[in-house]
Amino acid sequence: QVQLVESGGGLVQAGGSLRLSCAASGSIFSIKAMCWYRQAPGKQRELVAAITSGGTTNYADSVKGRFTISRDNAKNTVYLQMNSLKPEDTAVYYCNALLYPSGFSTLREYWGQGTQVTVSS
């Protein structure tokens, strides 16, 4: 059983910062990549940022230069530092992991429960 638990969401004024965390726990052999997605009301879920086990990162154009994804491999935890937040960043943010569970030879995808980020103007 693998779980992803997110924390760090909340309400912040435009221009402010928030830091999201997501810890993966359970029977994990190795994690290939961890990502953050977001879904605003009435919109499709979109990829915000991703980081591989080797540290390669990828960002949506809308957050480049403002958001930073990082990872602590020893703790199976991924972070999303969000600076210069805008009202359009308001969404539910979901953690996603591609990993090999212990005893399995195929990659599996897991999702966290989501954490609300609200940016007021």
Side-chain angles (χ1 to χ4, degrees):
Q1 189 79 3
V2 174
Q3 284 188 320
L4 302 182
V5 179
E6 300 127 333
S7 61
L11 173 64
V12 65
Q13 288 189 332
S17 299
L18 282 174
R19 188 191 195 210
L20 305 183
S21 300
C22 171
S25 63
S27 299
I28 299 170
F29 177 70
S30 69
I31 299 177
K32 184 175 179 64
M34 298 187 79
C35 312
W36 287 97
Y37 285 76
R38 68 186 181 187
Q39 188 166 20
K43 294 189 177 181
Q44 289 189 330
R45 190 172 296 190
E46 63 173 353
L47 178 65
V48 175
I51 186 167
T52 68
S53 57
T56 300
T57 58
N58 186 42
Y59 296 93
D61 288 342
S62 59
V63 306
K64 283 181 181 176
R66 300 187 298 121
F67 290 11
T68 301
I69 189 170
S70 60
R71 179 172 168 176
D72 185 335
N73 289 335
K75 295 181 179 179
N76 287 340
T77 298
V78 65
Y79 306 96
L80 185 68
Q81 178 66 43
M82 305 185 293
N83 298 329
S84 301
L85 282 161
K86 304 175 181 179
E88 51 263 44
D89 295 317
T90 296
V92 178
Y93 284 69
Y94 296 91
C95 178
N96 171 279
L98 292 174
L99 58 87
Y100 292 98
S102 298
F104 290 86
S105 60
T106 55
L107 274 173
R108 296 198 173 188
E109 184 177 40
Y110 294 87
W111 291 90
Q113 79 284 358
T115 185
Q116 177 69 46
V117 171
T118 302
V119 184
S120 63
S121 57

